């Protein structure tokens, strides 16, 4: 009887732990400056596992739906973006404190080009150089198209080659990342995530959300025939839209193959 009681206790313990792993709770926390220990407001807190987010209030307080082992991303302009795993203790105690550290910037020389503007819009627009090499080719049957790096015949050939060889062209970009790519739609739905990405240009947050290496993002966009100018200048939200659009095209091409 004693052994049966011990066995039953072990079974119940594993059941409770298993339920804790899958149970979704609303957890709370406070974000503070690592040096001053003062609360920080308007910090973006993103649950990268569920792709949902919130923002801290004036007291640095936030509340978000999460479960044990979910990953929370904390992002604020001028501070290091960090990822924190939700622990069982956090779920149990409902609250925790997170510290953010300011980024250290090294100032570099910036060269500003001078334009002798006349004050006449029609004339001045002709004086400012425009990158005319960025074109997005439309494809019949698709809502979007491919942006080639230049207007040369080789660019068109590259685009057409991508259409007729989707497996070779896009499989390495998307086929090996089905789980990450499925997150794209969820990211586009959440206003907090969209707002955060619209202010970012470093690809760190987007890479964390997609669970890919930051250096893979320009490679994916190159595989989708986006220009270097777009890759370098677009914000993270525009990059998200570009990857999402290319992924939808990839699915259509793969389906029709």
């Amino acid at each position: 009887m004693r052994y049966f009681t011990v066995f039953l206790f072990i079974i119940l313990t594993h059941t409770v732990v298993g339920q804790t792993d899958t149970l979704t709770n609303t957890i709370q926390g406070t974000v503070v400056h690592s040096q001053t220990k003062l609360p920080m407001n308007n910090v973006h807190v993103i649950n990268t596992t569920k792709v949902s987010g919130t923002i801290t209030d004036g007291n640095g307080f936030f509340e978000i739906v999460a479960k044990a082992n979910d990953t929370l991303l904390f992002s604020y302009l001028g501070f290091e973006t960090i990822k924190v795993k939700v622990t069982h203790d956090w779920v149990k105690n409902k609250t925790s404190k997170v510290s953010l550290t300011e980024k250290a910037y090294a100032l570099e020389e910036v060269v500003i080009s001078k334009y002798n503007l006349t004050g006449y819009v029609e004339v001045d627009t002709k004086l400012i150089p425009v990158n005319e090499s960025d074109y997005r080719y439309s494809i019949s049957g698709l809502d979007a198209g491919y942006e080639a790096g230049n207007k040369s015949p080789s660019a068109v050939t590259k685009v057409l080659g991508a259409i007729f060889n989707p497996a070779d062209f896009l499989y390495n970009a998307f086929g090996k990342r089905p789980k990450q790519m499925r997150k794209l739609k969820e990211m586009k739905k959440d206003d907090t995530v969209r707002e955060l990405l619209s202010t970012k240009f470093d690809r760190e947050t987007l890479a964390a959300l997609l669970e890919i290496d930051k250096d893979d993002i320009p490679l994916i966009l190159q595989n989708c025939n986006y220009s270097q100018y777009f890759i370098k200048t677009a914000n993270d939200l525009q990059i998200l839209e570009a990857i999402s659009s290319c992924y939808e095209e990839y699915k259509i091409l793969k389906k029709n193959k």
Side-chain angles (χ1 to χ4, degrees):
M1 183 65 181
R2 184 179 64 181
Y3 292 110
F4 175 76
T5 304
V6 173
F7 176 74
L8 183 61
F9 175 77
I10 294 174
I11 293 296
L12 290 174
T13 301
H14 280 288
T15 302
V16 171
V17 172
Q19 289 177 343
T20 303
D21 287 337
T22 58
L23 186 61
T24 299
N25 301 275
T26 299
I27 62 173
Q28 302 172 349
T30 304
V31 180
V32 299
H33 192 292
S34 62
Q35 293 182 327
T36 65
K37 305 305 179 185
L38 294 175
M40 298 177 59
N41 67 324
N42 292 326
V43 176
H44 283 82
V45 184
I46 309 295
N47 185 332
T48 62
T49 307
K50 298 186 179 302
V51 196
S52 61
T54 186
I55 300 175
T56 59
D57 62 16
N59 298 314
F61 176 82
F62 70 90
E63 201 171 57
I64 192 168
V65 174
K67 68 177 187 299
N69 296 318
D70 280 1
T71 299
L72 301 186
L73 182 143
F74 296 82
S75 179
Y76 188 77
L77 187 63
F79 285 72
E80 296 289 347
T81 298
I82 64 170
K83 292 191 290 184
V84 178
K85 182 148 292 192
V86 179
T87 63
H88 292 288
D89 288 339
W90 192 346
V91 173
K92 180 180 178 181
N93 299 326
K94 296 292 185 182
T95 187
S96 185
K97 184 177 288 187
V98 178
S99 300
L100 292 187
T101 305
E102 288 190 58
K103 284 184 176 180
Y105 291 100
L107 294 179
E108 299 179 358
E109 182 180 357
V110 178
V111 179
I112 301 177
S113 300
K114 179 181 177 181
Y115 296 111
N116 296 316
L117 303 181
T118 65
Y120 294 94
V121 176
E122 185 177 351
V123 176
D124 291 341
T125 52
K126 295 179 181 179
L127 294 175
I128 299 175
V130 177
N131 189 342
E132 296 180 348
S133 63
D134 304 330
Y135 284 85
R136 187 84 171 141
Y137 291 88
S138 62
I139 302 173
S140 179
L142 300 179
D143 294 332
Y146 284 91
E147 179 180 351
N150 55 60
K151 294 185 290 183
S152 66
S154 61
V156 179
T157 304
K158 187 178 181 183
V159 172
L160 295 178
I163 298 171
F164 294 114
N165 298 283
D168 295 337
F169 183 73
L170 293 174
Y171 177 75
N172 287 332
F174 299 130
K176 296 180 180 180
R177 302 180 174 94
K179 178 184 174 183
Q180 294 88 333
M181 292 303 109
R182 282 195 293 269
K183 281 187 174 183
L184 288 169
K185 286 186 177 180
E186 299 303 317
M187 283 188 237
K188 293 168 65 175
K189 290 178 185 176
D190 192 284
D191 291 337
T192 304
V193 175
R194 290 178 61 85
E195 180 187 346
L196 172 61
L197 293 179
S198 68
T199 64
K200 293 284 186 177
F201 291 83
D202 56 13
R203 315 298 183 238
E204 291 180 3
T205 304
L206 185 58
L209 286 169
L210 289 176
E211 300 177 49
I212 61 177
D213 191 280
K214 185 174 75 170
D215 294 335
D216 286 342
I217 293 178
L219 295 177
I220 291 174
L221 294 172
Q222 287 171 19
N223 281 341
C224 295
N225 278 320
Y226 278 92
S227 65
Q228 287 297 326
Y229 178 78
F230 174 81
I231 295 172
K232 291 179 180 179
T233 61
N235 63 40
D236 282 7
L237 181 59
Q238 292 171 318
I239 296 294
L240 169 65
E241 296 286 357
I243 294 177
S244 178
S245 174
C246 188
Y247 178 55
E248 293 303 317
E249 293 171 4
Y250 161 76
K251 289 196 300 183
I252 294 174
L253 293 171
K254 184 180 179 183
K255 183 179 179 181
N256 293 335
K257 185 183 176 185

